[in-house]
Amino acid sequence: MTIIRPPAVAGTFYPADADLLRSEIDGLLDAAFKSEHGQGDAIPKAIIVPHAGLMFSGSLAALGFATVRALKDTVKRIVIVGPAHRMAFQGIALAKADGFATPLGTVKCDLAGLQSALSWPQVQILDDAHRQEHGLEIELPFIQRLFGSDSDIAIVPLLISRCGARHVHELIEALWGGPETLIVISSDLSHFHNDATAQKMDRHTRDKIERFDAEGLDTNDACGALPIAGMLMSARKRGMRIKTLGLANSGDVTGDTSRVVGYGAWAVYTGTEKMRARPEDGANTTEPSTGFVGTTEQLLRDHGPEMIDLARRSIWHAIRHDGPMAVDRTAVSPALLDAGACFVTLKKSGQLRGCIGSVMAHQDLATDLCDNAFKAGFRDPRFAPLQESELTDDLELSISVLSPARDFPFSDEADLIAKLTPFEDGIILSEGNKRGLFLPQVWEQLPNPADFLAHLKRKAGLPMDHWSERMRAQRFVTRGISGKDIANTDFWQTAI
């Protein structure tokens, strides 16, 4: 039995009449083909396009799709990733469907791609999430008109709700494929601010996307922040390039600038593509940046073993001298002498044995690392001090380097819970002089956002069901390395 997901927003987001829809899409694409962006020689691997009604964001969506028209005889699979608007759920949702219908016909689903996606634990079949969803459907008429109703292209439609950006990244990686696969990210930008505020916010979001700052994006920037972030992680890893095609908002159409929704379009190319961009068009082509994530990941690749060794030697020093090891600045790599904040965590047989760290960078990273390794082993009030007999191969040491904490605004408790990104967000929660901090690693024990918040309140010294308007939150991300990452090292038995 063939199952077809029927159109949900035909007649509202786009015309329900097939001839009228065909004419409108063709007009948007023709205008986009004639633009500078439609004339380029490079062909993207991924595009980011908006998903509002055609009258509001159709011209920007067309700019994105115009960049991939040369793929008509190459692409066989389009992975469409967008945020769930109609219901919240844990993870990523597929629909139990063989195809998705619009007034122009049916686009078949790539069943092999769906099966591949379902092999990941964060993915589930959830028809209710797809039933009234517009964010994926609005892209289908562009695909049908661009590639032809008789093409054998199939789609993998993915709805994202409560999960980490890295969960989205894992799935995009699994479906990345080769030239036969196109990635389409569906997202609008800021929502319901006045025009001046929206333009400022959307330019800031554009800057984050151009810098491949996946970890800096949140739902205040774009409703599809998680889909965008997951794709940016894949692009950043591959050294790809990104080009801004345009920004706009609903006020440009309605004339009402008091409460607008922002839209943007981008194309993401492999690093070897040659692209044409004219400054007067506002186009911006950017390579991955060296922001916190890129810099820290490179730091860990280059100096991770040295960082682990410093922490190990500080613990051995404390066993012998009951104090942290002073850093010999002449013997430490210069990269570790820059200011930095870190947490050091000890686990024995998989169970927490100590965790102490710095929230803000107040000294060089090497010194912070040695101090916190000592404190995790000997000054964590929850545990007795480490004994030399415990320094065996079942004691794991891990280091988490923290980004600067930034304010994490919310309107109420439900809004805060909805905005949390499991497995990615580190959160500092405070009220008055009470404060609690959870590293992103805590999501492994508390994957439900409501539970995560309740236990964080308890850590701050507040009742788990407490709430007040004075509650404040800050968000940070981490990158880290553990002692088990260092191969062929007699980790604890090599004395200093």
Side-chain angles (χ1 to χ4, degrees), residues 194-465:
N194 63 52
D195 178 72
T197 301
Q199 288 197 44
K200 182 178 179 180
M201 292 178 66
D202 294 344
R203 286 194 300 267
H204 189 45
T205 301
R206 178 198 64 197
D207 292 342
K208 291 180 184 179
I209 291 173
E210 290 175 351
R211 296 196 310 269
F212 293 76
D213 182 11
E215 292 73 16
L217 286 170
D218 62 38
T219 52
N220 291 314
D221 302 315
C223 59
L226 289 175
I228 294 172
M231 184 276 296
L232 289 179
M233 290 177 180
S234 291
R236 186 174 64 202
K237 183 178 76 171
R238 289 170 169 82
M240 299 177 77
R241 299 171 182 265
I242 195 160
K243 180 178 181 180
T244 298
L245 305 176
L247 293 176
N249 67 52
S250 57
D252 300 329
V253 175
T254 65
D256 181 359
T257 60
S258 64
R259 197 166 182 262
V260 304
V261 176
Y263 316 116
W266 289 265
V268 184
Y269 303 83
T270 61
T272 58
E273 293 280 10
K274 295 180 180 179
M275 292 176 291
R276 299 186 300 167
R278 294 179 180 176
E280 61 268 26
D281 292 332
N284 194 343
T285 302
T286 311
E287 295 185 40
S289 74
T290 55
F292 169 80
V293 171
T295 300
T296 304
E297 289 178 347
Q298 188 64 50
L299 178 78
L300 294 173
R301 284 192 293 270
D302 293 344
H303 303 288
E306 181 182 1
M307 294 168 66
I308 290 290
D309 191 58
L310 276 172
R312 177 182 65 84
R313 289 193 288 124
S314 187
I315 289 174
W316 267 106
H317 186 277
I319 291 286
R320 302 287 193 261
H321 306 290
D322 193 31
M325 181 182 71
V327 172
D328 179 357
R329 298 177 67 86
T330 65
V332 173
S333 296
L336 301 182
L337 297 177
D338 292 334
C342 73
F343 267 68
V344 175
T345 302
L346 298 173
K347 288 185 178 181
K348 187 169 181 64
S349 301
Q351 300 299 311
L352 184 65
R353 184 61 180 83
C355 181
I356 297 288
S358 304
V359 177
M360 297 179 62
H362 64 282
Q363 58 188 343
D364 64 81
L365 182 57
T367 299
D368 202 55
L369 178 56
C370 289
D371 287 352
N372 290 330
F374 162 72
K375 292 174 183 176
F378 304 94
R379 295 294 186 268
D380 190 328
R382 298 169 293 180
F383 303 96
L386 273 176
Q387 301 300 311
E388 185 171 350
S389 61
E390 295 183 84
L391 304 188
T392 60
D393 58 6
D394 66 347
L395 185 67
E396 179 183 359
L397 182 152
S398 62
I399 300 164
S400 297
V401 182
L402 278 65
S403 72
R406 298 185 296 184
D407 288 340
F408 193 51
F410 53 87
S411 58
D412 53 29
E413 185 174 19
D415 186 44
L416 175 56
I417 290 171
K419 287 181 174 178
L420 290 172
T421 302
F423 302 97
E424 188 68 25
D425 287 347
I427 298 293
I428 304 168
L429 188 72
S430 62
E431 182 181 326
N433 61 358
K434 294 185 176 182
R435 186 176 73 169
L437 178 149
F438 274 169
L439 294 173
Q441 293 91 313
V442 175
W443 289 105
E444 296 173 6
Q445 286 76 46
L446 298 168
N448 181 280
D451 292 340
F452 182 94
L453 179 59
H455 283 80
L456 181 53
K457 285 189 282 188
R458 184 172 71 177
K459 186 174 183 183
L462 300 165
M464 294 177 73
D465 60 353

Side-chain angles (χ1 to χ4, degrees), residues 62 120 172 191 239 255 355 383 413 492:
W120 290 86
I172 288 176
H191 280 60
C355 181
F383 303 96
E413 185 174 19
W492 293 107

Side-chain angles (χ1 to χ4, degrees), residues 33-47:
F33 292 152
K34 295 173 184 176
S35 73
E36 169 69 15
H37 306 306
Q39 299 295 316
D41 299 325
I43 303 173
K45 172 65 178 182
I47 57 174

Side-chain angles (χ1 to χ4, degrees), residues 473-495:
Q474 292 178 298
R475 176 184 182 268
F476 61 91
V477 297
T478 67
R479 288 296 179 267
I481 190 170
S482 74
K484 291 184 178 179
D485 294 329
I486 309 304
N488 301 317
T489 297
D490 193 3
F491 187 66
W492 293 107
Q493 299 304 319
T494 303

